[in-house]
């Protein structure tokens, strides 16, 4: 069972002694009740470690649920929109799930540990939801969030770091998982769009695992990294984030804040052929309609990140009509582009869009309307992320 939320604030996680000793910024945040670093030193330096070397990121606060038993696959297929039967043992698959109105609750990854054993990793607390879905079936659901420490090792030298640490993972393809040592699971997954791995172990061995990777990675430029650097990388990779680019319908105060997979640009992950799942009826009624809203990626004119900007289309006689807003934004140091996620009215798709950006110059705010053009889903998608076996640097 997971610990109850602390009334006094977030609690330290399994890697906290090393994070605290490493941190010069002392910039902490609450991630699902766990004390997590926004940055340990400087976010830009940590970001460049992800893109040019290797970065080690504590992802233990992610919610982790075990679903196992003869009906485990059926239970998960009842919950998520994709067909879980297509995830083979030893593989990981992306999934999202909805309420009965077809509104997204959360997204995450499904680890198929065996024919009847699964792990679901996500951001939102889902235990009671999963228990309700499993009622009457021959499947057990448990919260193993506290029972697993997790690290993301991401960047072009991440394979070399694992090899230097004595972990044999050269045969892992993207979304494969393996157990190179008893009690240590390694998956070729991550939230950066780069070559990378995630490591899952018991908390009792967390500090030894951290030390092992840091020591093996010294010659390869490994750096611990925090949430800000990870956020920069995931925007470049084109990964929308729950609570940032869309709201979980379970967390929304108003039903109008809910978003369907079609509005999120994730309709390809909805499999109507597999049979009934939560929200299927509502999504069937919507699948041939133009979405009322769309989450899209944008290339923004200029170099000033459009964080929090409203989006407009230009009308007649110099008027502007508000049609949406930016949800995430970044000047991409690697792609050398000004990129963003934006939510727009469905009717505005294909129109000339502009982001309203304010610049503070010489004690005065200046308004600038920067052209915003639809861009590719991922601003950065290197070949090394898919090469098998990966390069060492």
């Amino acid at each position: 069972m997971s610990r109850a939320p602390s009334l006094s604030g977030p609690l330290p996680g399994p890697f906290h002694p090393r994070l605290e000793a490493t941190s010069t910024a002392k910039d902490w945040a609450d991630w699902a009740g766990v004390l997590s670093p926004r940055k340990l030193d400087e976010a830009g330096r940590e970001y460049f470690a992800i893109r040019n070397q290797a970065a080690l990121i504590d992802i233990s606060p992610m919610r982790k649920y075990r679903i196992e038993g003869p009906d485990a696959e059926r239970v998960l297929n009842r919950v998520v929109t994709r067909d879980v039967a297509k995830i083979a043992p030893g593989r990981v698959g992306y999934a999202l799930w909805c309420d009965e109105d077809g509104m997204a609750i959360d997204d995450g990854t499904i680890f198929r540990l065996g024919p009847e054993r699964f792990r679901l990793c996500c951001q939102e607390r889902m235990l009671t939801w999963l228990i309700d879905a499993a009622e009457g079936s021959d499947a057990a659901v448990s919260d193993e969030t506290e029972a697993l420490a997790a690290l993301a090792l991401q960047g072009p030298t991440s394979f070399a770091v694992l090899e230097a640490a004595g972990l044999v993972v050269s045969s892992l393809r993207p979304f494969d998982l393996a157990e190179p040592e008893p009690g240590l699971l390694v998956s070729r997954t991550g939230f950066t769009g780069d070559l990378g791995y995630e490591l899952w172990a018991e908390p009792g061995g967390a500090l030894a695992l951290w030390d092992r990777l840091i020591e093996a990675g010294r010659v390869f430029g490994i750096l611990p990294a925090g949430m800000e650097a990870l956020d920069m990388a995931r925007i470049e990779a084109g990964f929308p984030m729950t609570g940032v680019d869309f709201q979980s319908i379970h967390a929304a105060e108003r039903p109008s804040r809910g978003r369907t997979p079609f509005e999120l640009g994730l309709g390809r992950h909805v499999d109507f052929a597999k049979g009934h799942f939560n929200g299927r009826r509502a999504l069937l009624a919507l699948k041939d309609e133009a979405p009322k809203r769309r989450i899209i990626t944008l290339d923004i004119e200029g170099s000033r990140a459009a964080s929090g900007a409203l989006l407009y289309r230009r009308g007649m006689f110099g008027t502007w009509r508000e049609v949406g807003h930016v949800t995430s934004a970044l000047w991409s140091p690697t792609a050398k582009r000004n990129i963003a996620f934006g939510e727009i009215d469905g009717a505005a798709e294909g129109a000339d869009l502009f982001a309203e950006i304010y610049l503070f110059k010489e004690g005065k705010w200046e308004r600038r309307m920067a052209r915003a053009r639809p861009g590719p889903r991922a601003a950065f998608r290197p070949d090394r992320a898919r090469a098998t076996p990966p390069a060492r640097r």
Side-chain angles (χ1 to χ4, degrees):
M1 295 291 293
S2 64
R3 62 191 167 200
S6 170
L7 297 178
S8 59
L11 299 174
F15 297 103
H16 189 75
R18 298 297 185 266
L19 295 169
E20 173 64 32
T22 302
S23 175
T24 59
K26 307 302 180 187
D27 187 359
W28 305 95
D30 183 340
W31 179 5
V34 178
L35 199 61
S36 299
R38 290 189 181 91
K39 55 181 178 291
L40 292 158
D41 180 23
E42 198 277 318
R45 184 166 175 253
E46 294 164 18
Y47 160 83
F48 280 112
I50 294 173
R51 290 295 181 238
N52 298 322
Q53 301 140 225
L56 196 58
I57 306 158
D58 179 14
I59 57 170
S60 301
M62 289 183 63
R63 312 309 304 178
K64 300 174 281 286
Y65 300 104
R66 178 71 69 95
I67 305 96
E68 56 188 350
D71 291 339
E73 180 184 290
R74 185 178 66 82
V75 168
L76 277 173
N77 257 339
R78 169 69 174 78
V79 172
V80 304
T81 61
R82 70 169 294 161
D83 189 353
V84 176
K86 295 179 180 178
I87 305 174
R91 293 283 289 168
V92 185
Y94 172 81
L96 72 158
W97 47 101
C98 302
D99 68 2
E100 286 299 331
D101 294 321
M103 300 298 170
I105 295 172
D106 199 2
D107 65 347
T109 46
I110 296 174
F111 291 66
R112 189 154 197 167
L113 307 174
E116 298 179 356
R117 294 186 299 122
F118 298 85
R119 177 180 297 145
L120 176 65
C121 296
C122 57
Q123 295 290 330
E124 301 291 318
R125 295 178 184 271
M126 289 289 128
L127 182 60
T128 55
W129 179 257
L130 291 169
I131 289 173
D132 286 347
E135 185 175 359
S137 67
D138 191 0
V141 176
S142 59
D143 186 342
E144 55 182 10
T145 301
E146 303 297 326
L148 282 173
L151 286 171
L153 177 64
Q154 303 285 303
T157 65
S158 57
F159 170 68
V161 172
L162 292 180
E163 190 175 54
L167 298 171
V168 180
V169 294
S170 57
S171 64
L172 287 187
R173 300 165 297 158
F175 295 99
D176 274 353
L177 60 93
E179 190 174 17
E181 294 180 358
L184 176 62
L185 195 71
V186 178
S187 56
R188 191 168 166 183
T189 50
F191 206 42
T192 67
D194 216 318
L195 174 63
Y197 301 84
E198 292 174 333
L199 296 91
W200 315 81
E202 294 182 358
L207 298 183
L209 177 61
W210 177 280
D211 293 342
R212 180 180 178 182
L213 294 172
I214 289 291
E215 183 59 34
R218 289 190 193 282
V219 70
F220 302 106
I222 194 170
L223 281 180
M227 296 161 60
E228 289 185 8
L230 181 60
D231 194 54
M232 293 170 70
R234 70 96 188 164
I235 295 171
E236 287 182 331
F239 298 147
M241 187 173 181
T242 313
V244 178
D245 300 298
F246 68 97
Q247 299 300 313
S248 167
I249 190 61
H250 279 183
E253 294 183 4
R254 288 169 283 180
S256 62
R257 298 298 187 193
R259 299 294 180 260
T260 70
F262 306 128
E263 292 173 322
L264 298 177
L266 299 172
R268 65 189 182 280
H269 297 292
V270 179
D271 189 337
F272 291 110
K274 70 168 184 168
H276 183 69
F277 58 88
N278 238 49
R280 185 176 187 273
R281 295 186 191 92
L283 293 174
L284 264 176
L286 294 170
K287 74 181 184 70
D288 295 324
E289 295 182 7
K292 294 180 180 178
R293 310 166 197 86
R294 289 292 298 269
I295 293 287
I296 62 173
T297 49
L298 296 165
D299 280 337
I300 309 292
E301 180 184 24
S303 60
R304 180 67 176 261
S307 303
L310 294 176
L311 295 171
Y312 293 85
R313 64 183 300 180
R314 186 157 49 190
M316 298 178 63
F317 311 114
T319 59
W320 298 94
R321 176 172 171 258
E322 182 185 331
V323 294
H325 65 280
V326 168
T327 59
S328 295
L330 172 74
W331 166 258
S332 168
T334 300
K336 299 295 187 289
R337 299 200 336 252
N338 198 9
I339 59 176
F341 279 107
E343 181 180 275
I344 63 169
D345 296 341
E349 193 165 5
D352 284 341
L353 300 177
F354 292 81
E356 183 182 41
I357 299 175
Y358 285 83
L359 307 176
F360 191 68
K361 292 185 176 182
E362 299 180 353
K364 179 183 177 182
W365 286 102
E366 297 181 1
R367 180 185 186 225
R368 176 175 168 228
M369 301 301 288
R371 189 176 290 276
R373 296 180 174 88
R377 190 70 172 193
F380 180 68
R381 195 170 183 266
D383 291 340
R384 66 187 179 223
R386 297 172 296 282
T388 304
R392 290 174 172 78
R393 59 181 72 235

